């Protein structure tokens, strides 16, 4: 069992146990491939959705600089093996009644998790 598998196993147990109250169902979406008509401003792209689990938290107050990290921004940690697609910049992430845009995606070095910088939509 490699480091990625160990991390995912331990984090999955934590999501089911000690972190259960903090874990949210995550629904991501983005526009798939399609053709944009500039005259009618319509596209043939269909919305693609994916789901998973994650923990969404805020940033520490001292990290909020108003430029890179703004008031209302959040960070989210999700397990890569529990999500149906790879999140990317510009995707919409919904958790409960809150909607965010993915501002930055940082996979950990083992590929076990994704850390997302989210901005309220």
């Amino acid at each position: 069992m490699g480091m990625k598998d160990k991390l995912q196993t331990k984090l999955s147990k934590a999501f089911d146990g000690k972190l259960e109250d903090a874990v949210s169902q995550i629904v991501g979406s983005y526009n798939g491939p399609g053709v944009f008509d500039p005259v009618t401003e319509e596209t043939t792209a269909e919305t693609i959705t994916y789901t998973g689990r994650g923990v969404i938290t805020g940033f520490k107050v001292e990290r909020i600089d108003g430029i890179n990290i703004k008031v209302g921004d959040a960070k989210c940690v999700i397990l890569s093996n529990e999500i149906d697609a790879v999140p990317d910049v510009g995707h919409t992430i919904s958790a409960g009644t809150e909607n965010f845009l993915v501002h930055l995606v940082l996979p950990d070095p083992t590929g076990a998790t994704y850390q997302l910088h989210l901005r309220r939509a």
Side-chain angles (χ1 to χ4, degrees):
M1 180 182 276
M3 185 181 290
K4 177 180 177 179
D5 295 329
K6 285 182 184 179
L7 275 173
Q8 287 176 332
T9 301
K10 288 187 179 199
L11 284 172
S12 183
K13 285 180 184 176
F15 277 22
D16 292 333
K18 293 179 181 180
L19 294 175
E20 184 177 22
D21 292 342
V23 175
S24 301
Q25 185 66 29
I26 304 292
V27 178
S29 63
Y30 64 96
N31 284 334
V35 178
F36 179 75
D37 183 349
V39 176
T40 62
E41 295 186 1
E42 295 178 356
T43 182
T44 61
E46 293 186 22
T47 301
I48 298 171
T49 60
Y50 53 92
T51 60
R53 295 188 304 165
V55 175
I56 298 176
T57 62
F59 285 94
K60 292 182 180 180
V61 174
E62 57 269 11
R63 300 231 22 230
I64 298 172
D65 60 7
I67 299 169
N68 298 312
I69 300 174
K70 297 182 178 185
V71 173
D73 284 4
K75 56 185 171 179
C76 178
V77 176
I78 55 177
L79 295 175
S80 62
N81 67 336
E82 289 191 3
I83 196 152
D84 302 336
V86 176
D88 201 1
V89 173
H91 288 194
T92 301
I93 298 288
S94 301
T97 59
E98 297 187 281
N99 295 315
F100 301 94
L101 288 175
V102 177
H103 189 64
L104 181 68
V105 179
L106 297 170
D108 75 56
T110 65
T113 64
Y114 297 110
Q115 290 187 24
L116 310 178
H117 177 161
L118 304 175
R119 186 153 289 157
R120 294 198 189 282

